[in-house]
Amino acid sequence: MLLDSASLYFRAFYGVPSSVTSPDGHPVNAVRGFLDMVARLVDDRRPGRLVCCLDEDWRPAFRTDALPSYKLHRVSPGGGEDVPAALVPQVPVLMDVLDAVGLCRVGAAGYEADDVIATLAAREPGPVDVVTGDRDLFAVVDDHRDVAVVYVARGVARREIVDGSSVQSRYGVEPHQYADVAILRGDPSDGLPGVPGIGEKTATGLVARYGSLERLLAAAMQADTPVPKRTALLEHRDYLRAALSVVPVRTDVPVPADLDTSVPGHVTDPETLVALVDRWGLASSMNRLLNALGTGMR
């Protein structure tokens, strides 16, 4: 099970009331919500291995160099990611808790969690569950290798298992074509403008007809070939070509091959974990997680 950690803790932050606080009044809604979500997912899917994948760089240079608008609207006045003030201090607490339990967490310098997830999913023989609320990761779905997305955009309780047939029935394209659809239709949440006049239905139709965005552009460049939306495609071909190096997830990230991804049989650092649980008031959530994992305290 590969967790898109930021996707989950942002959803936990907004989904769990801010009134959930530590004994001394600090917000811990994102921490407790994250732990509860993972406990429920593990109970449901029973993974033997689990990795919390992280954004070491939420806006990598190789993406912004090609497309400056990429996630530009999320940049704070100070230049970092615009994150709610009450969430910022909760993230290191969550990381400390995961370390004390002994759950693997990994990122890669210069890459997003999506790239780490795609790389790990490509390495594994399957089955692999990718847990996310981000449609971009539909691109890693692979029925032949049993890689599926556990899609939690509507919450963990209403999670959906997305496989190749799900992507095909929803969008009319194969999972590996999904990035091309996203490029054409655009995605304001990622700063992708898309092509004016091309919505999701038109985008999926074009990608399904031509097989890929590159083939669609090649056809549009042929003056004697009738191509729908030719004028718009040609007017925005610089964006389209740039986006082809930005939107697709990477599967070549330098993630160590010797990660210990197994669910720990015992808590790695029980003394630290007990201190964290007491300090932040996490007892009920931690008990649910340890019970789901089958992890004991030495």
Side-chain angles (χ1 to χ4, degrees):
M1 178 174 281
L2 304 174
L3 303 181
D4 184 357
S5 299
S7 177
L8 294 186
Y9 64 64
F10 266 96
R11 278 167 173 74
F13 177 78
Y14 288 111
V16 178
S18 58
S19 57
V20 175
T21 60
S22 66
D24 60 355
H26 289 84
V28 290
N29 54 329
V31 179
R32 285 182 54 180
F34 183 98
L35 298 176
D36 288 343
M37 285 192 288
V38 175
R40 190 160 186 173
L41 289 162
V42 170
D43 258 337
D44 178 45
R45 304 295 287 177
R46 309 311 307 173
R49 292 179 291 155
L50 191 149
V51 184
C52 302
C53 301
L54 306 172
D55 288 318
E56 288 295 330
D57 191 339
W58 68 282
R59 199 167 176 258
F62 75 90
R63 290 192 164 110
T64 58
D65 287 348
L67 193 67
S69 68
Y70 183 68
K71 295 185 178 179
L72 181 61
H73 63 293
R74 299 193 212 173
V75 178
S76 70
E81 185 177 11
D82 189 10
V83 178
L87 174 58
V88 172
Q90 295 190 59
V91 176
V93 173
L94 177 59
M95 297 302 111
D96 288 345
V97 169
L98 296 176
D99 287 346
V101 171
L103 291 174
C104 178
R105 61 183 181 93
V106 65
Y111 294 95
E112 298 176 66
D114 286 7
D115 302 309
V116 174
I117 288 169
T119 297
L120 290 172
R123 284 184 188 176
E124 296 297 321
V128 176
D129 283 343
V130 173
V131 183
T132 185
D134 187 348
R135 291 191 298 174
D136 291 345
L137 281 167
F138 289 174
V140 307
V141 169
D142 186 338
D143 286 352
H144 298 293
R145 297 177 46 254
D146 202 6
V147 179
V149 165
V150 182
Y151 189 51
V152 296
R154 298 189 299 165
V156 170
R158 302 173 69 187
R159 57 196 175 278
E160 304 170 64
I161 307 304
V162 178
D163 58 12
S165 62
S166 302
V167 176
Q168 180 66 46
S169 63
R170 288 187 192 197
Y171 303 106
V173 296
E174 298 297 325
H176 70 273
Q177 298 171 309
Y178 183 79
D180 288 351
V181 172
I183 291 169
L184 283 166
R185 70 153 193 258
D187 186 346
S189 68
D190 280 340
L192 304 176
V195 176
I198 296 182
E200 189 157 286
K201 184 177 180 180
T202 301
T204 57
L206 289 170
V207 173
R209 177 175 174 180
Y210 290 92
S212 70
L213 178 53
E214 289 183 342
R215 291 177 182 172
L216 171 61
L217 278 175
M221 295 290 289
Q222 302 298 317
D224 58 347
T225 304
V227 174
K229 302 291 184 180
R230 177 202 298 277
T231 300
L233 290 167
L234 293 180
E235 286 179 352
H236 294 85
R237 62 181 177 270
D238 289 345
Y239 154 71
L240 293 171
R241 286 172 174 157
L244 281 168
S245 65
V246 171
V247 176
V249 289
R250 298 283 293 269
T251 60
D252 59 348
V253 174
V255 179
D258 59 350
L259 292 173
D260 182 5
T261 63
S262 59
V263 172
H266 295 278
V267 168
T268 300
D269 188 347
E271 184 176 338
T272 297
L273 183 61
V274 168
L276 287 166
V277 167
D278 289 345
R279 166 70 178 85
W280 300 104
L282 306 175
S284 59
S285 295
M286 183 52 60
N287 285 336
R288 281 190 285 272
L289 178 61
L290 295 181
N291 287 336
L293 293 170
T295 300
M297 296 282 282
R298 287 190 186 277

